Amino acid sequence: EALQICCGAFNMAVGDLVPLATLGTTMPSGMEIARRKLRGESSNGMLCSAAELELNEDSSGIFILPADLTLGSALTDALGIEPDALYDLDLTPNRPDALSVLGVARDVAAQLGLALVVPAVELPTTGADATTLVTVDVGDPVLCGRFAGLVLSDISVGTSPDWMARRLILCGMRPVNSIVDISNYVMLEYGQPSHTFDLDTITGAKLGIRRAADGESVVTLDGQTRSLVAGDGVIVDGDDAPIGIAGVMGGASTEISESTSRVLLEAAWWDPASIGATSKRLGLRSEASSRFEKGADPEIAWAAARRFAQLAIEQGAALHPGELRYDDGVVPDRSPVLVRPSRVNAVLGSSISTEQMVTYLTPIGFGSVARGDDLLVSLPSWRPDSTGEIDVVEEVARHHGYDRLGKTVPRSGARRGGLTQIQKDRRVLALTLRSLGASEAKPMPFFAPGDLERFGVRSDAISVTNPLVAEESVLRTSTMPGLVRAVATNAAHRNTGVSLFEMGHCFAVADGIGTHVEWDELGVVLAGRAAPVAVDWAIAVIASIGRPAPVFTSAHVGGLHPTRAAVIDIDGTVVGEVGEVDPGVTEDRGVTERVAWVRIDLDALFGIDRVVAKERPISRFPSSDLDLALVVADSVPAHEVVACLAAAHPLVVDARLFDVFRSHSVGEGRRSLACSVRLQAPDRTLTDADVTEARAALLAAAGRLGAELRA
């Protein structure tokens, strides 16, 4: 039946076969063909361009079909177009292997339990050896870790077969010519970008790879002149002139054209960081650079090059024997990692057997070798995202199926957070200190070099590379300097007698390690108070969190008064010190009053087991107090005297030191310790005989320490 079709194209001639969309046809764009008028004439269909059929992007005229097709045939049958499936994958940047058919097929095969079969490549060769036709010099093994090159001749540049062009279009790529299209096709298949050079346009028949120098430039395939900087990767010719930007885009001077007869194929692995930096700086993002900057497979370049040659030979090209191959560059470390099946199950909350884990890992290229109860897993070259045990755990979970890991039903009702025991103890300490009348301070932890020495504290401080103030570049090794400064600031404002505390971290260089140590510390300054007050505060603070009673032993402590300092000992562990700040330190900062000091290493204190409180009945009967002034040698610690009195008689319920007196009247190297002792019986009122007996026992016990009752 004759049909009147109106058409505005002029590229047809009598006898041409063209595609016709009849009335009722739905075009790929979704438009339905209906009877329409064109310049007053009815048109009963539409003659189609290749772009309207979405076969390629040519919209310049009607698509002229081969003359040997059968008139009236369905276009898909005549052109051999078969139904195809197009997968639109939303990939995360860490999976560059899935930017290829091979990468996706590997995962699909593993999920379906099928074997992954990569078609064999058979390559007949002819002519001179490729190494005699061109040379390759990799001058930067970090930039180019792998290089694979082939030489093909008898090239006839034209259009690609319809099936190849169609697949490229479906994947969002524009067909260019038969050689460039093969390069793009293999990139989609294997994930390996490649570049083709017109061999006859390469000066000196030599290809070099190096870093660019500032000021160099190259005209790229898009016709733009790109200025290069030091660090950019470039491909150069025999004259050392750039002819392409490595891993990003080739140069126009060696572009494949209709006159090309010999092709040099380059398939390389480029350093991701270098390609990413160059691509971003130039604002030039290509299909190749997007793959290289994510991390292409460094071991697939040669296989991709051979696949390119196979497709080119099918179109009449001839492959020269010989390999332009470089395998000695720097590529990512793929050392095996130790995977603990127990850890896998702990992370996933599963009970997957070791054998099942191996079953999941093997099809996707993660080889496993038993090492005791664990697995030594090799990491495939195409998975740059996998570098450690946790990445292998993710692969096991992915192929086991997240939906098979089970579900946890949230607990009903209110869910409240909680404090750790250390957090609770810190809060109790702060509350205790506030109840004693201290205020919490937060001095800056930074000091100038030499400041810590002037305070008398340890000087092995850590220097800060980026201090807030250039003059204060070292971290504190004690909380004392900052708190003493705070006392001085208050004194300058006529606010004396302040009590301050701070809980914070201190830092120092670790001996013999070359790193640093860090600890949590409590510091307390009591302006206008003497050392005995510091002892009372230390006892109260330690008791508030249930630790054993401390023992105070006289000692020389940096930054404290030489004769008014002691270390705090709990069950053989030194947890800090008490005393008075050295007058030289306080006077240097304008503080005229005495300053008592308490320092407690909180890490050490919290590491001591707390005392389990025991019930003790309270006597209903009155007590009797005795005050004893005992003269004892300076070498006898006061705490030993107090402890001796406390254990001297069953009626003693409390003993404490309340005064220390030194004078020539008590003798050189001796001092008088005034102690208060409380006596109480649980079942009766004390008699004079009871008190006399207890007093005698107290003096006898003190005498064993060399103490005498002061006259």
Side-chain angles (χ1 to χ4, degrees):
E1 178 184 357
L3 295 176
Q4 177 171 287
I5 309 295
C6 296
C7 180
F10 297 95
N11 66 319
M12 297 174 290
V14 175
D16 284 343
L17 296 184
V18 296
L20 168 65
T22 57
L23 298 178
T25 299
T26 300
M27 299 297 291
S29 64
M31 178 183 70
E32 183 176 345
I33 302 300
R35 181 177 288 106
R36 291 180 173 85
K37 283 194 175 184
L38 182 63
R39 296 182 181 179
E41 296 292 335
S42 294
S43 180
N44 299 294
M46 183 177 75
L47 302 183
C48 307
S49 68
E52 290 166 332
L53 296 172
E54 295 189 1
L55 294 177
N56 59 45
E57 296 183 354
D58 184 6
S59 59
S60 60
I62 300 303
F63 185 22
I64 306 300
L65 300 173
D68 58 351
L69 299 184
T70 302
L71 192 64
S73 300
L75 184 63
T76 53
D77 295 339
L79 296 180
I81 299 175
E82 299 176 353
D84 207 346
L86 182 64
Y87 292 89
D88 188 3
L89 305 180
D90 185 11
L91 301 177
T92 52
N94 66 319
R95 290 299 304 274
D97 62 302
L99 290 171
S100 66
V101 174
L102 178 59
V104 175
R106 184 181 294 111
D107 257 26
V108 172
Q111 286 290 327
L112 299 179
L114 302 174
L116 177 66
V117 179
V118 180
V121 175
E122 298 294 337
L123 297 177
T125 59
T126 184
D129 193 284
T131 57
T132 65
L133 301 175
V134 64
T135 58
V136 176
D137 177 26
V138 178
D140 191 325
V142 174
L143 172 64
C144 181
R146 297 287 186 270
F147 184 94
L150 293 175
V151 174
L152 298 105
S153 58
D154 296 340
I155 298 295
S156 177
V157 179
T159 58
S160 297
D162 291 337
W163 62 268
M164 181 178 289
R166 184 173 69 254
R167 287 193 170 186
L168 290 174
I169 291 171
L170 288 174
C171 291
M173 304 189 75
R174 177 179 61 86
V176 179
N177 60 53
S178 55
I179 296 300
V180 175
D181 290 353
I182 293 175
S183 175
N184 290 333
Y185 189 85
V186 173
M187 178 181 67
L188 295 175
E189 272 192 335
Y190 283 72
Q192 170 64 54
S194 60
H195 185 68
T196 52
F197 298 86
D198 186 330
L199 181 55
D200 294 322
T201 64
I202 300 177
T203 303
K206 179 181 178 181
L207 213 60
I209 295 168
R210 62 171 174 83
R211 301 280 182 172
D214 283 330
E216 287 189 298
S217 63
V218 60
V219 179
T220 49
L221 290 172
D222 57 2
Q224 301 295 315
T225 300
R226 310 286 180 176
S227 296
L228 305 174
V229 299
D232 291 336
V234 291
I235 301 173
V236 298
D237 59 17
D239 290 340
D240 201 35
I243 57 173
I245 304 175
V248 180
M249 185 174 286
S253 63
T254 57
E255 182 180 6
I256 301 298
S257 66
E258 293 182 357
S259 62
T260 299
S261 61
R262 295 194 303 164
V263 166
L264 169 61
L265 171 72
E266 163 260 300
W269 183 87
W270 305 101
D271 174 48
S274 300
I275 302 308
T278 298
S279 176
K280 181 178 181 180
R281 187 185 63 78
L282 293 174
L284 182 59
R285 188 172 178 83
S286 61
E287 290 283 350
S289 67
S290 67
R291 285 167 170 79
F292 285 129
E293 68 184 13
K294 292 180 177 68
D297 181 0
E299 307 302 335
I300 204 172
W302 190 247
R306 289 174 58 83
R307 173 61 170 157
F308 177 97
Q310 180 187 39
L311 293 174
I313 290 172
E314 291 177 0
Q315 297 188 35
L319 174 65
H320 289 262
E323 300 176 354
L324 302 169
R325 188 165 184 168
Y326 175 74
D327 293 324
D328 299 327
V330 179
V331 296
D333 180 34
R334 294 282 86 190
S335 299
V337 299
L338 188 68
V339 176
R340 299 159 293 173
S342 58
R343 178 61 179 164
V344 175
N345 285 319
V347 172
L348 301 181
S350 59
S351 56
I352 305 172
S353 67
T354 302
E355 293 74 17
Q356 188 61 48
M357 294 180 191
V358 173
T359 302
Y360 292 144
L361 295 172
T362 301
I364 56 174
F366 288 75
S368 304
V369 177
R371 176 172 288 186
D373 294 333
D374 302 327
L375 294 173
L376 193 63
V377 178
S378 58
L379 305 175
S381 59
W382 57 83
R383 289 296 301 274
D385 60 306
S386 295
T387 58
E389 182 183 38
I390 194 62
D391 300 308
V392 180
V393 173
E394 182 180 356
E395 292 305 308
V396 172
R398 194 164 61 89
H399 288 274
H400 180 72
Y402 290 108
D403 56 337
R404 296 175 58 192
L405 293 177
K407 299 177 182 179
T408 301
V409 179
R411 292 182 298 173
S412 60
R415 299 182 64 183
R416 299 178 178 87
L419 300 176
T420 65
Q421 188 58 52
I422 290 179
Q423 289 173 324
K424 292 178 182 178
D425 286 345
R426 288 175 64 91
R427 293 193 178 191
V428 170
L429 290 176
L431 181 62
T432 301
L433 289 164
R434 292 190 188 100
S435 68
L436 291 172
S439 300
E440 186 169 8
K442 288 292 183 183
M444 293 293 287
F446 306 106
F447 291 87
D451 277 358
L452 299 177
E453 290 88 338
R454 286 190 284 272
F455 279 95
V457 298
R458 62 188 294 181
S459 59
D460 52 343
I462 297 172
S463 297
V464 181
T465 57
N466 56 340
L468 298 176
V469 180
E471 294 77 15
E472 298 180 346
S473 60
V474 298
L475 289 171
R476 66 184 179 190
T477 59
S478 170
T479 53
M480 186 180 74
L483 289 173
V484 171
R485 279 184 175 180
V487 170
T489 300
N490 278 274
H493 290 79
R494 300 184 180 182
N495 184 27
T496 58
V498 297
S499 301
L500 303 172
F501 76 93
E502 179 191 7
M503 283 186 280
H505 287 267
C506 297
F507 315 84
V509 177
D511 294 336
I513 300 178
T515 55
H516 76 279
V517 290
E518 179 179 342
W519 64 95
D520 202 9
E521 184 173 295
L522 166 65
V524 183
V525 286
L526 307 171
R529 262 71 59 89
V533 179
V535 172
D536 292 338
W537 279 53
I539 293 172
V541 164
I542 293 171
S544 69
I545 58 172
R547 267 41 176 201
V551 173
F552 301 90
T553 305
S554 297
H556 178 75
V557 179
L560 299 187
H561 192 290
T563 62
R564 298 175 188 168
V567 295
I568 307 171
D569 185 291
I570 302 178
D571 291 343
T573 301
V574 175
V575 299
E577 66 262 356
V578 295
E580 291 181 25
V581 178
D582 192 315
V585 172
T586 55
E587 291 172 4
D588 188 45
R589 271 118 193 113
V591 179
T592 58
E593 52 188 341
R594 302 169 76 172
V595 178
W597 167 252
V598 179
R599 186 196 75 86
I600 296 177
D601 185 333
L602 295 179
D603 294 333
L605 181 62
F606 293 150
I608 297 173
D609 293 336
R610 62 180 60 244
V611 177
V612 179
K614 296 182 179 179
E615 179 186 7
R616 189 177 68 177
I618 299 175
S619 176
R620 297 184 292 110
F621 299 94
S623 62
S624 180
D625 292 343
L626 295 176
D627 289 342
L628 301 175
L630 301 172
V631 178
V632 66
D634 285 339
S635 60
V636 179
H639 71 85
E640 287 190 16
V641 176
V642 174
C644 175
L645 296 176
H649 194 274
L651 292 179
V652 177
V653 294
D654 187 33
R656 63 184 60 194
L657 176 71
F658 67 86
D659 188 36
V660 179
F661 174 73
R662 283 184 171 85
S663 174
H664 66 276
S665 61
V666 298
E668 188 70 24
R670 295 166 66 83
R671 69 201 190 283
S672 174
L673 303 178
C675 300
S676 176
V677 181
R678 175 159 293 178
L679 306 176
Q680 190 174 34
D683 56 353
R684 68 186 189 281
T685 300
L686 297 179
T687 64
D688 290 342
D690 292 330
V691 174
T692 300
E693 177 189 348
R695 187 174 185 275
L698 290 168
L699 294 176
R704 289 192 286 272
L705 294 177
E708 300 175 353
L709 188 64
R710 181 181 169 193

